[in-house]
Amino acid sequence: MSPLSLQVSEVWFLTGSQHLYGDDTLRQVQAHADEIVRGLNASGELPLPIRGRAILTTPDAITRTLREAGTDSSCAGVIVWMHTFSPAKMWISGLNSLRRPLLHFHTQFNRLIPWESIDMDFMNLNQSAHGDREFGFACTRLRLNRKVVVGHWADPAILPPMRNWMRAARAWHDWQGMRVARLGDNMRAVAVTEGDKVAAENRFGFSVDGYGVGDLACIQKDLTDEAVDALVGEYLDTYAVAPTLQPDGPRHRDLREAARIELALLTFLKERGCAAFTTTFEDLHGLRQLPGLAVQRLMAAGYGFAAEGDWKTAALLRAMKVMAADAPEGVSFMEDYTYHFDESGGQVLGSHMLEICPSISEGQPKLEIHPLGIGGKEDPVRLVFDCPAGAALNASLIDLGNRFRLVVNTVEALKPESPLPRLPVARTLWRPLPDLPTAAAAWILAGGAHHTGFTRALRAETLGDFAEMAGIEFLLIDETCRLPDLKDRLRWNDLYHHLAHGLGHT
Ligand code: MN
């Protein structure tokens, strides 16, 4: 991704055993664990480094290590594996104090049973089938959310689920202590962008603070011409800049104004340590344009963003950008804008007034200026582009009043049939799965927002892992979706979450 630096983080690999087996066996257990960690790290397929820890054989060591995971700021999650039989009562205290996402890796050092030579020593040294079930019982008994990945450690098939979990763990880690700046409040009477910011901080770990947009105007006053010149030079080098915006063009002054907004926004966010932000076109006191280009470029630099005060989508977008930091495809703020009710199942044209992230662009974006029908300000400068085809998804985080729900719809991004020459904004086109009538009905029944995070970089599994880490509902609308089943799931999920979190003690 990202000029916006991510915290350096790693995942710990914890191996369980016990002293029953004797020192020789435990030395072998440690050697096996070390080899597995080396193998996983050498795969090149996992986004975070794995750090192997000393094997755990006593309740004290287990509790100490799991507590340490929660206080070590570089630890984004723990992978746990029972090489042999580790009585799970030893793990209760530690698991109860674990403050990091948990992946239970159910593997075995030896891949195949050596039919000719197998004896009881071999059986005792390769009994994860036995030990991991004991550990699994303890996790289930303690009602712990976790991911279980099963397979031989050298089998490439275990890497995608592990990678998806690591991506989610990295984003979850990033959310802890994250700051979201809300420039201006809600827009008009929009409902879905509202929500309980105290509940969000309690559940998710990030805080949302409101600021007046006049703060940006104050920073703008102190910008130097040299800084503006340098940024305009970067625009000219990076994009296909419209002739009117070129240095000798009649609208060049507007391009310089856009650069001043970008510099002010970046300074503002850096000074406050914010990783995500919102704007609203209803409140632009002191700004001459609605921030378009600035927002697009800050998103491309890794900042979470959503328009119209939508802080939940801004935070989600930042999380999706962190999840996808090792992927080339990019992530953008998105809005379902216009439908195409064709015979092929229906299509959605997604866009926004201005603020689509160029990280999802196909080819070099065009830098243009056009009038904006709302907001009553000067014409905003913006990047215009199309997006590539391929499997993608839209995600939305909503506040149901007593809890949060993460809704994901898998979609097939499409190339437009024709070039849309009169549409002056970045856009993408997709066919929702299983089809537009079913997907849109499901989305509406689930209460999904019109604002989403859109990406080709992530699979739904990663968002599902993320929802588990947060302890919130995950509702997937994919090719298997049937509306009667979905309605049942919504009702059952309501009941489950009401019982699980009813009095707010968890
Ligand atoms: Mn909007």
Side-chain angles (χ1 to χ4, degrees), residues 206-490:
F206 64 76
S207 62
V208 184
D209 294 302
Y211 298 94
V213 73
D215 292 357
L216 285 186
C218 286
I219 298 173
Q220 275 193 336
K221 287 196 199 93
D222 297 330
L223 296 173
T224 65
D225 284 344
E226 291 73 27
V228 176
D229 291 344
L231 189 53
V232 168
E234 189 180 327
Y235 296 164
L236 295 169
D237 290 343
T238 310
Y239 309 115
V241 180
T244 54
L245 293 172
Q246 294 280 352
D248 54 357
R251 310 299 300 271
H252 187 65
R253 190 188 69 96
D254 298 287
L255 186 63
R256 292 185 66 82
E257 183 60 22
R260 288 164 52 77
I261 294 172
E262 178 178 337
L263 289 167
L265 250 177
L266 183 62
T267 304
F268 175 89
L269 295 170
K270 276 187 174 168
E271 281 176 355
R272 288 156 188 79
C274 297
F277 67 105
T278 70
T279 58
T280 166
F281 66 78
E282 280 206 325
D283 182 1
L284 291 172
H285 301 295
L287 295 192
R288 297 200 341 227
Q289 298 171 16
L290 175 64
L293 175 63
V295 168
Q296 292 180 293
R297 284 174 47 85
L298 288 172
M299 266 194 280
Y303 284 95
F305 168 80
E308 293 122 27
D310 186 354
W311 53 270
K312 294 188 301 299
T313 304
L316 176 64
L317 196 77
R318 164 67 184 182
M320 291 171 72
K321 282 185 171 289
V322 175
M323 289 175 203
D326 55 289
E329 289 91 349
V331 181
S332 180
F333 174 60
M334 191 56 68
E335 185 168 276
D336 294 76
Y337 228 111
T338 301
Y339 288 146
H340 187 58
F341 280 118
D342 68 349
E343 289 78 35
S344 73
Q347 300 173 15
V348 182
L349 186 68
S351 188
H352 205 259
M353 286 186 307
L354 304 168
E355 307 96 335
I356 301 300
C357 178
S359 68
I360 65 166
S361 167
E362 178 157 64
Q364 186 189 36
K366 294 178 284 185
L367 185 55
E368 300 179 359
I369 183 164
H370 300 278
L372 191 67
I374 46 182
K377 290 282 175 174
E378 294 179 8
D379 300 346
V381 178
R382 81 286 304 272
L383 295 168
V384 180
F385 50 85
D386 290 301
C387 301
L393 59 80
N394 274 307
S396 168
L397 179 63
I398 58 164
D399 183 345
L400 291 167
N402 56 349
R403 63 188 178 84
F404 296 93
R405 168 182 287 158
L406 182 60
V407 189
V408 169
N409 184 199
T410 51
V411 306
E412 182 69 24
L414 306 166
K415 295 289 289 179
E417 290 164 21
S418 38
L420 313 169
R422 292 173 58 81
L423 190 67
V425 285
R427 61 278 173 145
T428 185
L429 187 70
W430 64 79
R431 189 194 323 284
L433 297 176
D435 54 70
L436 175 56
T438 307
W443 189 272
I444 283 169
L445 287 166
H450 49 275
H451 286 166
T452 62
F454 170 87
T455 186
R456 292 186 306 121
L458 300 171
R459 300 283 78 89
E461 183 182 344
T462 304
L463 278 299
D465 290 345
F466 189 70
E468 289 250 28
M469 291 169 193
I472 63 167
E473 179 185 358
F474 177 64
L475 196 83
L476 176 61
I477 302 164
D478 66 3
E479 70 280 3
T480 67
C481 179
R482 289 182 64 256
L483 288 173
D485 297 340
L486 180 111
K487 284 186 172 180
D488 283 341
R489 272 170 61 207
L490 289 171

Side-chain angles (χ1 to χ4, degrees), residues 123-202:
M123 293 267 274
N124 284 332
L125 197 61
N126 289 281
Q127 57 172 317
S128 302
H130 176 198
D132 270 331
R133 286 167 200 249
E134 166 74 353
F135 180 75
F137 165 75
C139 294
T140 295
R141 176 68 180 78
L142 299 175
R143 272 70 173 175
L144 282 185
N145 285 353
R146 78 279 193 193
K147 182 164 194 168
V148 179
V149 175
V150 182
H152 188 253
W153 56 275
D155 182 348
I158 59 101
L159 295 170
M162 203 174 272
R163 175 170 62 231
N164 286 333
W165 174 84
M166 275 192 192
R167 287 172 159 183
R170 180 170 57 192
W172 181 249
H173 199 50
D174 180 73
W175 261 17
Q176 308 313 304
M178 182 179 86
R179 291 178 186 160
V180 182
R182 202 172 184 227
L183 285 155
D185 199 81
N186 208 46
M187 188 198 71
R188 295 183 183 260
V190 175
V192 76
T193 51
E194 296 280 27
D196 185 335
K197 299 195 273 291
V198 174
E201 186 161 352
N202 183 38

